[in-house]
Structure formats: structure tokens, C-alpha cells
Amino acid sequence: MSISLIRCLLAVLALSESFDVVASKDVAQLLGVKRPTIHRSLEMLQQKGLIHKEPYGDIHLTDAGREQAQRMERQRDDLSLLFARRYGLPAEESVRAAFALMSALSADSLARLQ
């Protein structure tokens, strides 16, 4: 999954944990991107069965989407800590490195790094 899709999925998770209603404008604002970019990402996440988006309405994680987002959130946090503690990377760079690896490596390789 691409970095932008991972970030979008995790943004939906974060917003859904804090608010009853999640809209594409909220996801776009959280990620600091324009709504058309988010719209395309949300469509792709819906095609993958990770979210359900009502036309011009709310966005909801599917059970599979919530499970995958929570797993990816843990991976991001674990990898970020690894890069910060072991390699002394600043926090922001550690997170970028985590996302890069999450989008490029297999689940088995990611598990070994954790």
C-alpha cells in the first residue's frame, strides 16, 4: 500500500476514535492536503474494502479496515521508535522512514524489524 494510502487510512482511524462523524474535509485538513487528493485515496481504500464512504457523507472504517489500520499504527510507532532510539533520527524523520518501509516491505520483513 502506498504511503499516501497508509497515511489516509491512519487519519480516518484517528478521526473516528475522536469524532462520531468523519468527513473527507476532516481527513484532508488533518493531513494538510487538498480534498481531491483525499477523495482519490478514499476511493482506493473503499475499493480495498477498508472503508465505507457514503456519497457526500460520512466515512466509516470496515472491520477489516479498523484491524489493518490499528496494525499499521502499531508498526509505524514501533518503527519510528526504532529509528529514533537506535539510529538517532529526529522524530519527524523517524515517522517518514517508518512510512517508507511500511509501503515497500512485506509483512514478514516488517515483523522482523519490529
Side-chain angles (χ1 to χ4, degrees):
M1 186 181 302
S2 72
I3 294 171
S4 61
L5 286 183
I6 294 169
R7 290 183 70 230
C8 187
L9 183 62
L10 294 183
V12 172
L13 175 66
L15 290 166
S16 67
E17 289 175 344
S18 299
F19 303 102
D20 293 333
V21 176
V22 176
S24 60
K25 66 180 176 74
D26 302 322
V27 179
Q29 184 177 9
L30 180 63
L31 295 176
V33 298
K34 298 192 183 288
R35 287 179 69 186
T37 301
I38 289 302
H39 181 71
R40 285 189 296 276
S41 294
L42 292 172
E43 283 180 352
M44 293 173 77
L45 291 173
Q46 185 161 321
Q47 290 173 358
K48 292 178 177 290
L50 301 175
I51 65 164
H52 173 72
K53 183 182 180 301
E54 299 170 17
Y56 304 101
D58 300 345
I59 301 164
H60 304 279
L61 288 166
T62 63
D63 290 340
R66 181 170 301 280
E67 182 180 308
Q68 183 164 346
Q70 289 171 336
R71 186 179 76 254
M72 290 180 142
E73 189 175 53
R74 284 189 304 273
Q75 285 177 336
R76 180 205 58 207
D77 293 346
D78 290 348
L79 291 169
S80 296
L81 283 173
L82 171 71
F83 291 126
R85 289 180 179 165
R86 185 157 187 192
Y87 301 107
L89 292 181
E92 189 174 306
E93 287 184 31
S94 294
V95 171
R96 281 199 308 266
F99 279 130
L101 285 179
M102 290 168 65
S103 70
L105 297 180
S106 69
D108 289 338
S109 294
L110 287 170
R112 289 181 192 156
L113 286 173
Q114 289 178 287

